[in-house]
Amino acid sequence: MNYPTTKNVRALLKSTAALGIGLMATFTPLPSIAQSFKAAVGKVDITPDSPQQLLGYGARKSTGVNDKIYHRIVVMDDGKTRFVLVSSDICLIAPSEYDQVAARLKKELGIERENFWWSFTHTHSAPELGPPGLPEAFLGERYKHQYDKKYAEETETKLVSAVKDAIKRLEPARLSVGWGHSNANINRRARDAQGKTYLGLNPDLPVDRRIGMLRIDKSDNSAMAIIANYAMHGTVIGGECTLISGDGPGIVSEYVEKKTGATMLFINGAAGNIAPIYSTQPTPFRLKEFEPLLGDRILEANARMTSSDAIVSIKTGGTIVETPRREGLKWPGYMADYTGTNTAGTQVVKLPVRFLKINKDIAIWSAPLELFCEISNEVRERSPFPYTFYYGYTNGWLGYMMTDEEIPYGGYETTVTPFKPGAGKDLINGVLGYIEGAMSAR
């Protein structure tokens, strides 16, 4: 609705007086709608200047750089809630590393933990960041070395500084939402005739090819940020290559940024059983093919989002989903906050799940998991919100979470999970319970 301006009202009063038309003695003030939604972005280079241990595949050290890696940051503020989303070109981190940075943001900037989401693209060609976390419980031989504390401290400080700078540059903004589709991924649970499962490509098993899109525009309608949520392992490049790279997610982000001028955050989805269609290549040669395969599909989805809102409401929340812990797992002591014993005396994993509600139609949930896509697909299908996105690899890593149907087939994922059968159902119930309850009521 277009409300009359003060000038127009005065003209109306003058004209009616000239015509002898009487006006009511009392006048109701016109409503005033002040835009309160603001946003800002940041992008900072975190490419190390010295060789680093790479995380992903076996233990190996970098010998050079194929493409630079970054923190990409969006800060959103609706006047009541300030929310920070970071996408980093890193494979994964321990939840304790997230805790450390979250504590700094709270102390230095007053950002509440529930309002800081740190997501990882899951590139397998990036340096380690901080202590190994839960992987040392599964792959102890992989972590004989000490992690690089200097690189970790520098990378943490770059993140905090970039958030500080973005907050200083908050400006009026608008928000759009939409869906896209790309065939750049495939289920990676390959099977032989006897049912043995191993890492490969399997077009007959479930996949999630939707792209969940958010775009933030400046007040002049130019694009500020594109947030693209897509499920795909960062494994286009294989373990033979020792060059640092953002892999598929990083290459696609750079491509979209060059085409649009916006900062693009690639947020991985439920990629636990999903690979890129060209996977574990011995060289970076095929990375460029993901520019049209995924990058152009993001650009197409972006072009279809023709409407945007200047009035934006942000609400955050969280819950802990407890599910039984696998026996015989040597849990790292510095991650004690993420395990415990329930009232029945059962050892459990304490899984932190975060929620973000934007206006009345967008529900985003995140977890520190490599989640099988069937689980997030079911949440999306049953959610009352038309736009329901899952942000994976967020705020740490607590292993793979499989479906009960896939566990009997074995495979790599069964060796790197702290969960027992039934965990997927526990997560679905916990997430939908929150979405249908607290989230829908607010």
Side-chain angles (χ1 to χ4, degrees), residues 166-218:
I167 289 173
K168 293 176 183 176
R169 294 183 289 100
L170 284 167
E171 61 179 290
R174 305 177 67 89
L175 186 134
S176 306
V177 62
W179 289 108
H181 178 94
S182 170
N183 293 322
N185 61 8
I186 189 170
N187 194 294
R188 69 177 196 165
R189 298 266 295 165
R191 287 213 240 286
D192 62 21
Q194 287 71 45
K196 181 181 178 182
T197 298
Y198 50 92
L199 295 178
L201 302 175
N202 192 334
D204 292 330
L205 288 181
V207 71
D208 182 5
R209 292 194 166 125
R210 284 199 185 190
I211 309 170
M213 296 283 296
L214 293 176
R215 188 182 69 232
I216 299 173
D217 293 332
K218 299 178 182 179

Side-chain angles (χ1 to χ4, degrees), residues 207-283:
V207 71
D208 182 5
R209 292 194 166 125
R210 284 199 185 190
I211 309 170
M213 296 283 296
L214 293 176
R215 188 182 69 232
I216 299 173
D217 293 332
K218 299 178 182 179
S219 56
D220 64 1
N221 292 323
S222 63
M224 177 190 294
I226 293 171
I227 304 170
N229 174 214
Y230 187 72
M232 186 180 78
H233 253 77
T235 54
V236 178
I237 305 173
E240 304 98 315
C241 182
T242 52
L243 299 177
I244 289 173
S245 173
D247 203 81
I251 292 296
V252 168
S253 296
E254 287 284 290
Y255 177 74
V256 172
E257 287 174 344
K258 288 176 183 177
K259 293 286 186 178
T260 64
T263 299
M264 192 193 117
L265 280 70
F266 181 100
I267 307 293
N268 221 319
N273 55 347
I274 298 182
I277 59 169
Y278 304 125
S279 198
T280 61
Q281 301 293 303
T283 71

Side-chain angles (χ1 to χ4, degrees), residues 164-401:
K164 285 181 181 177
D165 180 65
I167 289 173
K168 293 176 183 176
R169 294 183 289 100
L170 284 167
E171 61 179 290
R174 305 177 67 89
L175 186 134
S176 306
V177 62
W179 289 108
H181 178 94
S182 170
N183 293 322
N185 61 8
I186 189 170
N187 194 294
R188 69 177 196 165
R189 298 266 295 165
R191 287 213 240 286
D192 62 21
Q194 287 71 45
K196 181 181 178 182
T197 298
Y198 50 92
L199 295 178
L201 302 175
N202 192 334
D204 292 330
L205 288 181
V207 71
D208 182 5
R209 292 194 166 125
R210 284 199 185 190
I211 309 170
M213 296 283 296
L214 293 176
R215 188 182 69 232
I216 299 173
D217 293 332
K218 299 178 182 179
S219 56
D220 64 1
N221 292 323
S222 63
M224 177 190 294
I226 293 171
I227 304 170
N229 174 214
Y230 187 72
M232 186 180 78
H233 253 77
T235 54
V236 178
I237 305 173
E240 304 98 315
C241 182
T242 52
L243 299 177
I244 289 173
S245 173
D247 203 81
I251 292 296
V252 168
S253 296
E254 287 284 290
Y255 177 74
V256 172
E257 287 174 344
K258 288 176 183 177
K259 293 286 186 178
T260 64
T263 299
M264 192 193 117
L265 280 70
F266 181 100
I267 307 293
N268 221 319
N273 55 347
I274 298 182
I277 59 169
Y278 304 125
S279 198
T280 61
Q281 301 293 303
T283 71
F285 173 73
R286 304 201 83 155
L287 283 176
K288 282 286 187 180
E289 296 181 43
F290 287 84
E291 293 179 346
L293 282 169
L294 180 55
D296 282 347
R297 303 294 86 77
I298 291 170
L299 292 172
E300 289 169 3
N302 177 59
R304 288 195 298 270
M305 294 192 295
T306 55
S307 63
S308 61
D309 291 322
I311 308 302
V312 177
S313 171
I314 299 171
K315 297 185 185 300
T316 60
T319 189
I320 301 293
V321 174
E322 292 190 356
T323 188
R325 189 178 120 187
R326 180 177 131 196
E327 291 92 351
L329 195 61
K330 189 177 179 182
W331 198 270
Y334 54 87
M335 288 177 48
D337 290 344
Y338 296 89
T339 190
T341 304
N342 64 17
T343 54
T346 302
Q347 279 193 318
V348 296
V349 179
K350 295 181 178 180
L351 184 59
V353 184
R354 299 282 177 80
F355 298 89
L356 171 66
K357 179 181 178 182
I358 302 178
N359 293 343
K360 295 181 178 181
D361 55 354
I362 304 169
I364 305 173
W365 63 286
S366 68
L369 290 171
E370 294 209 52
L371 192 65
F372 273 30
C373 69
E374 297 94 315
I375 297 171
S376 67
N377 287 351
E378 181 172 344
V379 170
R380 184 173 64 210
E381 289 164 6
R382 294 172 56 185
S383 170
F385 291 83
Y387 298 99
T388 300
F389 305 152
Y390 167 67
Y391 286 6
Y393 305 99
T394 299
N395 302 342
W397 187 83
L398 288 172
Y400 281 83
M401 183 176 283

Side-chain angles (χ1 to χ4, degrees), residues 54-57 91-97 122 124 128-145 326 329-335 368 370 393 396-400 412 415-418:
L54 299 177
L55 185 57
Y57 309 118
C91 185
L92 53 85
I93 62 166
S96 58
E97 175 70 15
H122 201 51
H124 281 41
E128 296 175 343
L129 184 62
L134 200 55
E136 74 176 64
F138 307 120
L139 308 165
E141 74 286 351
R142 166 74 174 74
Y143 298 96
K144 300 292 185 182
H145 57 274
R326 180 177 131 196
L329 195 61
K330 189 177 179 182
W331 198 270
Y334 54 87
M335 288 177 48
E370 294 209 52
Y393 305 99
W397 187 83
L398 288 172
Y400 281 83
Y412 167 71
T415 69
V416 281
T417 179

